[in-house]
Amino acid sequence: MTEHQDRTERRAGRRRPQSATAAEPAADRSRSYRHLTNPFEPLKVFSEDEVASIHEAALMILENQGMRVLSERARLAYAAGGADLDPATHMVRFDRGLVAQCLSTTPREVTLHAKDPARHMPMSGKHVVFAPTSGPPNIMDLKHGRRAGTFEDFSNIMKLCQSFEVMHVLGGGVEPQDVPIQIRHLETTRAMLMLTDKIPLVYARGTGQIHDNFELIRIAYGLTREEFEAHPHTLAIINTNSPLQLDIPMAEGIMDFAEALQPLIITPFTLAGAMAPVTIAGALTLAHAEALAGLVLSQLVRPGAPIVYGSFTSNVDMKSGSPAFGTPEYAKSSFGAGQLARHIGLPWRSSNATASNSPDAQAAYESQMSLWGALMGGCNFMLHAAGWLESGLTTSYEKFILDIEMLQMFAETFQPVAASPKELALEAIAEVGPSGHFFGCAHTMERYKTAFYTPLVSDWRNFGQWTEAGGHTATERAHEIWQRTLKDYQAPARDPAVVEAIDDFVARRKSEGGAPPVS
Amino acid sequence: MTEHQDRTERRAGRRRPQSATAAEPAADRSRSYRHLTNPFEPLKVFSEDEVASIHEAALMILENQGMRVLSERARLAYAAGGADLDPATHMVRFDRGLVAQCLSTTPREVTLHAKDPARHMPMSGKHVVFAPTSGPPNIMDLKHGRRAGTFEDFSNIMKLCQSFEVMHVLGGGVEPQDVPIQIRHLETTRAMLMLTDKIPLVYARGTGQIHDNFELIRIAYGLTREEFEAHPHTLAIINTNSPLQLDIPMAEGIMDFAEALQPLIITPFTLAGAMAPVTIAGALTLAHAEALAGLVLSQLVRPGAPIVYGSFTSNVDMKSGSPAFGTPEYAKSSFGAGQLARHIGLPWRSSNATASNSPDAQAAYESQMSLWGALMGGCNFMLHAAGWLESGLTTSYEKFILDIEMLQMFAETFQPVAASPKELALEAIAEVGPSGHFFGCAHTMERYKTAFYTPLVSDWRNFGQWTEAGGHTATERAHEIWQRTLKDYQAPARDPAVVEAIDDFVARRKSEGGAPPVS
């Protein structure tokens, strides 16, 4: 028979529990989003033999072809470790023995440490960590449209990150283009440390900036250099220049982070059909070789440096060359990349990406394809988890909120389904009987406050009520939500002496000219 | 470093293959969507012991409490099979022996037969079948808003179903409220048989209508009664009246379909917290008991009648009593329901549902939660796969198109990822070399036409091009697409003699007053 709900709604309206005028505030429930573990077995696209053959092919690429390494310091480090150096082409080649040696010194477990131990974030095994979008030069919201990102926008994104428990680690948010590039790292890292109590992800844009960022974190956390190096306290993304090239800032990033034993996410950015082979297996083979090359450099600099296996394999539109994200190929690449990460025993990073130009239905369904692909592929660290739009060229306030809703839905999906005799509810079923309802029975009353996810954006009112309230789309509601969240934002408590020390450091480094990014 | 794509796009624009001015037409590729198999291992929320304990609890409900059966004919059938009958309450109780006996006669394999064998649809094991939304009284599109469904709308939805290979089987589409209810089944079934060559799903609204529908299909396919009964040629949904009641039309539907050996999807519609226990495990226990009760009736009437295990377990908003769909609880219920279906060895039906009132981002992300929950739970038959909006009260033309896009993306995700040495692309990687590109290499040229999914709705142009083209959202683009699809619709060839015979039958039955629905 027809499966619509008017009868249900009428019954519900008539007979819901008297005390259930409001569900439990989402804020209380959201404490469980602070640390997530994924209970599902990862999905696979390759057999174990195929995974082994991709790993083998990547080793052959490194042995026979190698990587072009633009940094002399990095070339010397590779050579000192036994790699073959071609002085004319800057190609670096090394054999599987060196790869195996470096894999053996790379830690299997990585836990990020915050000032507050409650914010420590394990990111191995079944753990899942979410970080916001990083790097878009533009910002967008429904009212003001698309424009260059500013420091105010950057700060707003950090405040939004602080406001949602499901956002675990920070990220670049949006590029504050009104801050000169030689001091941008100082301003953004200070803002992260002042506006939030979460772990900052910083950029690797040359040794000068990296050392400034490490010092800011040491001041904020009150750590000596030894204490800082004793645990991961920050992390950065390293993108190889696919195919098969490692540029100077990326190589310096690998070496500087390794020297301080701070974790790096090495992510070849491989768009199948453009800078990678047109086949998923080929694009992943290339990416795997490049990730291993980065890992080898890190371990040659300092054995034991923590490495996260990053993947960012998608496809291009073969009509226009435009990148595409959240495609079927993207989801399948994610399943495959997760298999490769587990094959070498490393935590795995993926992304929540879309090519949509608008925070619309396309943005939502492409993001869901990305999220399910990553999370059911066993992803440990999700960069760009909230706010990414337009293939990463824009951070959208409304998309940030829509993404938070989706991330919270995954956080709830990860909670186990209890199936003890009490949950099977035989007594309640006997009590209610045929054609009765469960709204008021004891079994429901004991559980209804926390039984279900309370949405942030979703509107479940009936059509009449929704229309009377203005008939707003989810994107329009998200516009209200980010503004309200910023209004309600609460800064974490900060020791005035620490604030002063950070301000002094920033002032001094600015007076010294900051640190221009290396290119 | 920042992960945005402008450099990629520039490279692509400059150097894409000369002949790649257009990707392969989607129509050619979409032939592979006609029959789908799901390569992934189903996700689970319960241990095997927990699944067994839910099955056991459902048997206890049927033994100790039973189902209220409103149809006397059905009560007599249960009693003839050995069930206990309470004449005062119409409660029917039976023991696990009878359930086991009936499970042993229920077929494990079900294949729907069409007139054209190319349209036969296996729906067991790893097979996946999509059918459109069924039952909404209202229709909606961007231009005309929400209104009562008409026969023209019904016909349009059937034409859209015919136009996309990924839509495998038909469904109720939308209720044509301008057609009187006693002849509505005649008009809608005739329209399905004339406008499409796909298998009709019909309603079970009493014996009179069911027999008319069977006769229409026999005329259209040129089948004797024996030939009709030799294979499944249509199917219907049976919703129990949760909790624990089976009404007259549903009971008649079970018996009439079983007598003709036509498959039934028995779907308890259990909203946790309303007509089912507030716990997922409790709601599934109740649903499992009710599905088994329906299955027992079918096998008592005719052993060997095909049954699909239906589940439709979601939750309500405990604030308002409104039903919610595409929630975390919905996805987890799907995983659990799939486990229960496999426990008793039956094909499993799920749904693509959302509570959104608009074909917006909420509709998209809730549908994706429903789709991933169902498909990664191992769903064989997906009802409401395209068009459902507003908790099933409205069929949306734009949502239909957005859903087709999502279904096609799953169809592509199901295609295997090749990983032979050629796909690993070592030669292409060697040919292209460091910092080169793969746009024009032989490996790409051989594959680029069919390498990637060609989207229906998604717009991957850059922001400037997209803005110049009008800056339309995905929902606005879907509005254009459904209108264009209707314009391009092609009716299947029909034998004039068959058309005449169908028209004669419909005219005769209309002159006889049709068949009022039973209630």
PDB file of all heavy atoms in Angstrom, chain B residues 53-83:
ATOM      1  N   SER B  53      19.609 -13.899  17.929  1.00  0.00           N
ATOM      2  CA  SER B  53      18.742 -13.583  19.075  1.00  0.00           C
ATOM      3  C   SER B  53      17.555 -12.724  18.644  1.00  0.00           C
ATOM      4  O   SER B  53      16.469 -12.834  19.221  1.00  0.00           O
ATOM      5  CB  SER B  53      19.539 -12.918  20.198  1.00  0.00           C
ATOM      6  OG  SER B  53      19.851 -11.582  19.852  1.00  0.00           O
ATOM      7  N   ILE B  54      17.718 -11.894  17.621  1.00  0.00           N
ATOM      8  CA  ILE B  54      16.577 -11.122  17.112  1.00  0.00           C
ATOM      9  C   ILE B  54      15.586 -12.064  16.422  1.00  0.00           C
ATOM     10  O   ILE B  54      14.369 -11.961  16.616  1.00  0.00           O
ATOM     11  CB  ILE B  54      17.073 -10.006  16.162  1.00  0.00           C
ATOM     12  CG1 ILE B  54      17.823  -8.939  16.975  1.00  0.00           C
ATOM     13  CG2 ILE B  54      15.905  -9.385  15.393  1.00  0.00           C
ATOM     14  CD1 ILE B  54      18.481  -7.863  16.136  1.00  0.00           C
ATOM     15  N   HIS B  55      16.119 -12.990  15.642  1.00  0.00           N
ATOM     16  CA  HIS B  55      15.243 -13.977  14.999  1.00  0.00           C
ATOM     17  C   HIS B  55      14.468 -14.766  16.060  1.00  0.00           C
ATOM     18  O   HIS B  55      13.249 -14.941  15.959  1.00  0.00           O
ATOM     19  CB  HIS B  55      16.088 -14.902  14.117  1.00  0.00           C
ATOM     20  CG  HIS B  55      15.293 -15.914  13.350  1.00  0.00           C
ATOM     21  ND1 HIS B  55      14.448 -15.563  12.305  1.00  0.00           N
ATOM     22  CD2 HIS B  55      15.202 -17.260  13.470  1.00  0.00           C
ATOM     23  CE1 HIS B  55      13.886 -16.657  11.816  1.00  0.00           C
ATOM     24  NE2 HIS B  55      14.322 -17.701  12.508  1.00  0.00           N
ATOM     25  N   GLU B  56      15.176 -15.188  17.084  1.00  0.00           N
ATOM     26  CA  GLU B  56      14.551 -15.943  18.183  1.00  0.00           C
ATOM     27  C   GLU B  56      13.472 -15.106  18.883  1.00  0.00           C
ATOM     28  O   GLU B  56      12.378 -15.598  19.172  1.00  0.00           O
ATOM     29  CB  GLU B  56      15.664 -16.346  19.179  1.00  0.00           C
ATOM     30  CG  GLU B  56      15.220 -16.905  20.510  1.00  0.00           C
ATOM     31  CD  GLU B  56      14.741 -18.347  20.394  1.00  0.00           C
ATOM     32  OE1 GLU B  56      15.087 -18.986  19.381  1.00  0.00           O
ATOM     33  OE2 GLU B  56      14.007 -18.805  21.298  1.00  0.00           O
ATOM     34  N   ALA B  57      13.756 -13.844  19.133  1.00  0.00           N
ATOM     35  CA  ALA B  57      12.779 -12.973  19.795  1.00  0.00           C
ATOM     36  C   ALA B  57      11.545 -12.804  18.926  1.00  0.00           C
ATOM     37  O   ALA B  57      10.410 -12.785  19.422  1.00  0.00           O
ATOM     38  CB  ALA B  57      13.405 -11.613  20.108  1.00  0.00           C
ATOM     39  N   ALA B  58      11.742 -12.691  17.599  1.00  0.00           N
ATOM     40  CA  ALA B  58      10.596 -12.560  16.697  1.00  0.00           C
ATOM     41  C   ALA B  58       9.741 -13.822  16.740  1.00  0.00           C
ATOM     42  O   ALA B  58       8.500 -13.751  16.748  1.00  0.00           O
ATOM     43  CB  ALA B  58      11.089 -12.279  15.277  1.00  0.00           C
ATOM     44  N   LEU B  59      10.377 -14.991  16.795  1.00  0.00           N
ATOM     45  CA  LEU B  59       9.617 -16.246  16.898  1.00  0.00           C
ATOM     46  C   LEU B  59       8.815 -16.273  18.192  1.00  0.00           C
ATOM     47  O   LEU B  59       7.649 -16.712  18.207  1.00  0.00           O
ATOM     48  CB  LEU B  59      10.572 -17.441  16.849  1.00  0.00           C
ATOM     49  CG  LEU B  59      11.333 -17.653  15.534  1.00  0.00           C
ATOM     50  CD1 LEU B  59      12.349 -18.788  15.672  1.00  0.00           C
ATOM     51  CD2 LEU B  59      10.374 -17.932  14.369  1.00  0.00           C
ATOM     52  N   MET B  60       9.410 -15.755  19.279  1.00  0.00           N
ATOM     53  CA  MET B  60       8.694 -15.722  20.556  1.00  0.00           C
ATOM     54  C   MET B  60       7.480 -14.800  20.478  1.00  0.00           C
ATOM     55  O   MET B  60       6.429 -15.099  21.053  1.00  0.00           O
ATOM     56  CB  MET B  60       9.640 -15.288  21.673  1.00  0.00           C
ATOM     57  CG  MET B  60      10.641 -16.377  22.054  1.00  0.00           C
ATOM     58  SD  MET B  60      11.944 -15.760  23.167  1.00  0.00           S
ATOM     59  CE  MET B  60      10.954 -15.344  24.616  1.00  0.00           C
ATOM     60  N   ILE B  61       7.607 -13.688  19.788  1.00  0.00           N
ATOM     61  CA  ILE B  61       6.453 -12.789  19.625  1.00  0.00           C
ATOM     62  C   ILE B  61       5.326 -13.520  18.904  1.00  0.00           C
ATOM     63  O   ILE B  61       4.165 -13.444  19.308  1.00  0.00           O
ATOM     64  CB  ILE B  61       6.863 -11.521  18.854  1.00  0.00           C
ATOM     65  CG1 ILE B  61       7.812 -10.663  19.701  1.00  0.00           C
ATOM     66  CG2 ILE B  61       5.632 -10.718  18.434  1.00  0.00           C
ATOM     67  CD1 ILE B  61       8.438  -9.497  18.938  1.00  0.00           C
ATOM     68  N   LEU B  62       5.676 -14.243  17.843  1.00  0.00           N
ATOM     69  CA  LEU B  62       4.636 -14.937  17.064  1.00  0.00           C
ATOM     70  C   LEU B  62       4.023 -16.081  17.865  1.00  0.00           C
ATOM     71  O   LEU B  62       2.840 -16.375  17.729  1.00  0.00           O
ATOM     72  CB  LEU B  62       5.229 -15.447  15.748  1.00  0.00           C
ATOM     73  CG  LEU B  62       5.699 -14.338  14.800  1.00  0.00           C
ATOM     74  CD1 LEU B  62       6.443 -14.919  13.603  1.00  0.00           C
ATOM     75  CD2 LEU B  62       4.519 -13.481  14.332  1.00  0.00           C
ATOM     76  N   GLU B  63       4.826 -16.707  18.720  1.00  0.00           N
ATOM     77  CA  GLU B  63       4.310 -17.816  19.536  1.00  0.00           C
ATOM     78  C   GLU B  63       3.455 -17.322  20.697  1.00  0.00           C
ATOM     79  O   GLU B  63       2.412 -17.892  21.008  1.00  0.00           O
ATOM     80  CB  GLU B  63       5.484 -18.644  20.092  1.00  0.00           C
ATOM     81  CG  GLU B  63       6.151 -19.504  19.026  1.00  0.00           C
ATOM     82  CD  GLU B  63       7.403 -20.239  19.525  1.00  0.00           C
ATOM     83  OE1 GLU B  63       7.988 -19.822  20.540  1.00  0.00           O
ATOM     84  OE2 GLU B  63       7.794 -21.211  18.867  1.00  0.00           O
ATOM     85  N   ASN B  64       3.906 -16.258  21.366  1.00  0.00           N
ATOM     86  CA  ASN B  64       3.265 -15.853  22.620  1.00  0.00           C
ATOM     87  C   ASN B  64       2.207 -14.779  22.447  1.00  0.00           C
ATOM     88  O   ASN B  64       1.257 -14.712  23.202  1.00  0.00           O
ATOM     89  CB  ASN B  64       4.326 -15.329  23.606  1.00  0.00           C
ATOM     90  CG  ASN B  64       5.355 -16.398  23.913  1.00  0.00           C
ATOM     91  OD1 ASN B  64       5.039 -17.591  23.882  1.00  0.00           O
ATOM     92  ND2 ASN B  64       6.583 -15.987  24.180  1.00  0.00           N
ATOM     93  N   GLN B  65       2.433 -13.896  21.466  1.00  0.00           N
ATOM     94  CA  GLN B  65       1.541 -12.754  21.332  1.00  0.00           C
ATOM     95  C   GLN B  65       0.745 -12.865  20.036  1.00  0.00           C
ATOM     96  O   GLN B  65      -0.460 -12.730  20.020  1.00  0.00           O
ATOM     97  CB  GLN B  65       2.374 -11.472  21.356  1.00  0.00           C
ATOM     98  CG  GLN B  65       1.571 -10.212  21.493  1.00  0.00           C
ATOM     99  CD  GLN B  65       2.481  -9.015  21.760  1.00  0.00           C
ATOM    100  OE1 GLN B  65       3.706  -9.137  21.736  1.00  0.00           O
ATOM    101  NE2 GLN B  65       1.878  -7.879  22.022  1.00  0.00           N
ATOM    102  N   GLY B  66       1.438 -13.103  18.921  1.00  0.00           N
ATOM    103  CA  GLY B  66       0.770 -13.295  17.636  1.00  0.00           C
ATOM    104  C   GLY B  66       0.455 -11.991  16.926  1.00  0.00           C
ATOM    105  O   GLY B  66       0.835 -10.913  17.361  1.00  0.00           O
ATOM    106  N   MET B  67      -0.226 -12.113  15.790  1.00  0.00           N
ATOM    107  CA  MET B  67      -0.623 -10.979  14.943  1.00  0.00           C
ATOM    108  C   MET B  67      -2.136 -10.888  14.960  1.00  0.00           C
ATOM    109  O   MET B  67      -2.822 -11.906  14.890  1.00  0.00           O
ATOM    110  CB  MET B  67      -0.227 -11.238  13.478  1.00  0.00           C
ATOM    111  CG  MET B  67       1.218 -11.091  13.125  1.00  0.00           C
ATOM    112  SD  MET B  67       1.778  -9.383  12.962  1.00  0.00           S
ATOM    113  CE  MET B  67       1.235  -8.946  11.292  1.00  0.00           C
ATOM    114  N   ARG B  68      -2.649  -9.680  14.975  1.00  0.00           N
ATOM    115  CA  ARG B  68      -4.096  -9.499  14.753  1.00  0.00           C
ATOM    116  C   ARG B  68      -4.333  -9.484  13.252  1.00  0.00           C
ATOM    117  O   ARG B  68      -3.740  -8.662  12.534  1.00  0.00           O
ATOM    118  CB  ARG B  68      -4.586  -8.211  15.394  1.00  0.00           C
ATOM    119  CG  ARG B  68      -6.090  -7.992  15.141  1.00  0.00           C
ATOM    120  CD  ARG B  68      -6.559  -6.664  15.671  1.00  0.00           C
ATOM    121  NE  ARG B  68      -6.655  -6.684  17.110  1.00  0.00           N
ATOM    122  CZ  ARG B  68      -6.655  -5.589  17.876  1.00  0.00           C
ATOM    123  NH1 ARG B  68      -6.542  -4.396  17.323  1.00  0.00           N
ATOM    124  NH2 ARG B  68      -6.759  -5.693  19.188  1.00  0.00           N
ATOM    125  N   VAL B  69      -5.196 -10.391  12.793  1.00  0.00           N
ATOM    126  CA  VAL B  69      -5.447 -10.539  11.362  1.00  0.00           C
ATOM    127  C   VAL B  69      -6.906 -10.163  11.093  1.00  0.00           C
ATOM    128  O   VAL B  69      -7.825 -10.811  11.611  1.00  0.00           O
ATOM    129  CB  VAL B  69      -5.141 -11.984  10.904  1.00  0.00           C
ATOM    130  CG1 VAL B  69      -5.472 -12.157   9.433  1.00  0.00           C
ATOM    131  CG2 VAL B  69      -3.674 -12.324  11.182  1.00  0.00           C
ATOM    132  N   LEU B  70      -7.134  -9.115  10.331  1.00  0.00           N
ATOM    133  CA  LEU B  70      -8.494  -8.595  10.163  1.00  0.00           C
ATOM    134  C   LEU B  70      -9.284  -9.333   9.088  1.00  0.00           C
ATOM    135  O   LEU B  70     -10.507  -9.206   9.034  1.00  0.00           O
ATOM    136  CB  LEU B  70      -8.434  -7.092   9.846  1.00  0.00           C
ATOM    137  CG  LEU B  70      -7.737  -6.214  10.902  1.00  0.00           C
ATOM    138  CD1 LEU B  70      -7.917  -4.732  10.572  1.00  0.00           C
ATOM    139  CD2 LEU B  70      -8.264  -6.502  12.309  1.00  0.00           C
ATOM    140  N   SER B  71      -8.614 -10.093   8.234  1.00  0.00           N
ATOM    141  CA  SER B  71      -9.305 -10.807   7.159  1.00  0.00           C
ATOM    142  C   SER B  71      -9.686 -12.208   7.625  1.00  0.00           C
ATOM    143  O   SER B  71      -8.826 -12.988   8.056  1.00  0.00           O
ATOM    144  CB  SER B  71      -8.381 -10.887   5.932  1.00  0.00           C
ATOM    145  OG  SER B  71      -8.684 -12.021   5.157  1.00  0.00           O
ATOM    146  N   GLU B  72     -10.976 -12.547   7.505  1.00  0.00           N
ATOM    147  CA  GLU B  72     -11.418 -13.878   7.936  1.00  0.00           C
ATOM    148  C   GLU B  72     -10.794 -14.957   7.047  1.00  0.00           C
ATOM    149  O   GLU B  72     -10.366 -16.002   7.532  1.00  0.00           O
ATOM    150  CB  GLU B  72     -12.946 -13.975   7.889  1.00  0.00           C
ATOM    151  CG  GLU B  72     -13.426 -15.246   8.562  1.00  0.00           C
ATOM    152  CD  GLU B  72     -14.939 -15.430   8.498  1.00  0.00           C
ATOM    153  OE1 GLU B  72     -15.627 -14.576   7.887  1.00  0.00           O
ATOM    154  OE2 GLU B  72     -15.418 -16.435   9.053  1.00  0.00           O
ATOM    155  N   ARG B  73     -10.739 -14.679   5.752  1.00  0.00           N
ATOM    156  CA  ARG B  73     -10.144 -15.643   4.821  1.00  0.00           C
ATOM    157  C   ARG B  73      -8.696 -15.946   5.230  1.00  0.00           C
ATOM    158  O   ARG B  73      -8.253 -17.104   5.203  1.00  0.00           O
ATOM    159  CB  ARG B  73     -10.197 -15.027   3.408  1.00  0.00           C
ATOM    160  CG  ARG B  73      -9.703 -15.895   2.271  1.00  0.00           C
ATOM    161  CD  ARG B  73      -9.883 -15.142   0.923  1.00  0.00           C
ATOM    162  NE  ARG B  73      -8.812 -15.389  -0.014  1.00  0.00           N
ATOM    163  CZ  ARG B  73      -8.312 -14.506  -0.878  1.00  0.00           C
ATOM    164  NH1 ARG B  73      -8.802 -13.263  -0.912  1.00  0.00           N
ATOM    165  NH2 ARG B  73      -7.348 -14.827  -1.694  1.00  0.00           N
ATOM    166  N   ALA B  74      -7.982 -14.926   5.642  1.00  0.00           N
ATOM    167  CA  ALA B  74      -6.595 -15.132   6.066  1.00  0.00           C
ATOM    168  C   ALA B  74      -6.543 -15.900   7.379  1.00  0.00           C
ATOM    169  O   ALA B  74      -5.720 -16.807   7.546  1.00  0.00           O
ATOM    170  CB  ALA B  74      -5.880 -13.792   6.205  1.00  0.00           C
ATOM    171  N   ARG B  75      -7.427 -15.540   8.310  1.00  0.00           N
ATOM    172  CA  ARG B  75      -7.433 -16.269   9.594  1.00  0.00           C
ATOM    173  C   ARG B  75      -7.669 -17.748   9.366  1.00  0.00           C
ATOM    174  O   ARG B  75      -7.028 -18.603   9.978  1.00  0.00           O
ATOM    175  CB  ARG B  75      -8.507 -15.701  10.528  1.00  0.00           C
ATOM    176  CG  ARG B  75      -8.186 -14.341  11.090  1.00  0.00           C
ATOM    177  CD  ARG B  75      -9.061 -13.974  12.299  1.00  0.00           C
ATOM    178  NE  ARG B  75     -10.488 -13.946  12.005  1.00  0.00           N
ATOM    179  CZ  ARG B  75     -11.151 -12.866  11.555  1.00  0.00           C
ATOM    180  NH1 ARG B  75     -10.506 -11.731  11.323  1.00  0.00           N
ATOM    181  NH2 ARG B  75     -12.447 -12.930  11.337  1.00  0.00           N
ATOM    182  N   LEU B  76      -8.581 -18.060   8.440  1.00  0.00           N
ATOM    183  CA  LEU B  76      -8.870 -19.471   8.164  1.00  0.00           C
ATOM    184  C   LEU B  76      -7.668 -20.167   7.543  1.00  0.00           C
ATOM    185  O   LEU B  76      -7.383 -21.324   7.847  1.00  0.00           O
ATOM    186  CB  LEU B  76     -10.098 -19.582   7.255  1.00  0.00           C
ATOM    187  CG  LEU B  76     -11.399 -19.092   7.907  1.00  0.00           C
ATOM    188  CD1 LEU B  76     -12.566 -19.135   6.920  1.00  0.00           C
ATOM    189  CD2 LEU B  76     -11.728 -19.933   9.153  1.00  0.00           C
ATOM    190  N   ALA B  77      -6.954 -19.429   6.701  1.00  0.00           N
ATOM    191  CA  ALA B  77      -5.748 -20.023   6.091  1.00  0.00           C
ATOM    192  C   ALA B  77      -4.699 -20.315   7.158  1.00  0.00           C
ATOM    193  O   ALA B  77      -4.078 -21.384   7.163  1.00  0.00           O
ATOM    194  CB  ALA B  77      -5.192 -19.090   5.019  1.00  0.00           C
ATOM    195  N   TYR B  78      -4.503 -19.361   8.076  1.00  0.00           N
ATOM    196  CA  TYR B  78      -3.555 -19.605   9.173  1.00  0.00           C
ATOM    197  C   TYR B  78      -4.000 -20.827   9.993  1.00  0.00           C
ATOM    198  O   TYR B  78      -3.195 -21.693  10.335  1.00  0.00           O
ATOM    199  CB  TYR B  78      -3.484 -18.395  10.099  1.00  0.00           C
ATOM    200  CG  TYR B  78      -2.566 -17.273   9.670  1.00  0.00           C
ATOM    201  CD1 TYR B  78      -3.061 -16.021   9.337  1.00  0.00           C
ATOM    202  CD2 TYR B  78      -1.177 -17.451   9.650  1.00  0.00           C
ATOM    203  CE1 TYR B  78      -2.225 -14.976   8.975  1.00  0.00           C
ATOM    204  CE2 TYR B  78      -0.323 -16.408   9.297  1.00  0.00           C
ATOM    205  CZ  TYR B  78      -0.855 -15.171   8.959  1.00  0.00           C
ATOM    206  OH  TYR B  78      -0.012 -14.151   8.613  1.00  0.00           O
ATOM    207  N   ALA B  79      -5.302 -20.870  10.319  1.00  0.00           N
ATOM    208  CA  ALA B  79      -5.805 -21.963  11.170  1.00  0.00           C
ATOM    209  C   ALA B  79      -5.627 -23.301  10.470  1.00  0.00           C
ATOM    210  O   ALA B  79      -5.226 -24.299  11.090  1.00  0.00           O
ATOM    211  CB  ALA B  79      -7.279 -21.710  11.508  1.00  0.00           C
ATOM    212  N   ALA B  80      -5.884 -23.323   9.162  1.00  0.00           N
ATOM    213  CA  ALA B  80      -5.725 -24.573   8.411  1.00  0.00           C
ATOM    214  C   ALA B  80      -4.271 -25.038   8.425  1.00  0.00           C
ATOM    215  O   ALA B  80      -3.992 -26.238   8.294  1.00  0.00           O
ATOM    216  CB  ALA B  80      -6.214 -24.387   6.975  1.00  0.00           C
ATOM    217  N   GLY B  81      -3.355 -24.111   8.593  1.00  0.00           N
ATOM    218  CA  GLY B  81      -1.933 -24.463   8.647  1.00  0.00           C
ATOM    219  C   GLY B  81      -1.477 -24.850  10.040  1.00  0.00           C
ATOM    220  O   GLY B  81      -0.298 -25.148  10.245  1.00  0.00           O
ATOM    221  N   GLY B  82      -2.391 -24.801  11.015  1.00  0.00           N
ATOM    222  CA  GLY B  82      -2.030 -25.222  12.363  1.00  0.00           C
ATOM    223  C   GLY B  82      -1.877 -24.078  13.345  1.00  0.00           C
ATOM    224  O   GLY B  82      -1.509 -24.300  14.505  1.00  0.00           O
ATOM    225  N   ALA B  83      -2.179 -22.860  12.931  1.00  0.00           N
ATOM    226  CA  ALA B  83      -2.053 -21.725  13.854  1.00  0.00           C
ATOM    227  C   ALA B  83      -3.218 -21.716  14.831  1.00  0.00           C
ATOM    228  O   ALA B  83      -4.287 -22.271  14.565  1.00  0.00           O
ATOM    229  CB  ALA B  83      -2.001 -20.417  13.080  1.00  0.00           C
TER     230      ALA B  83
END
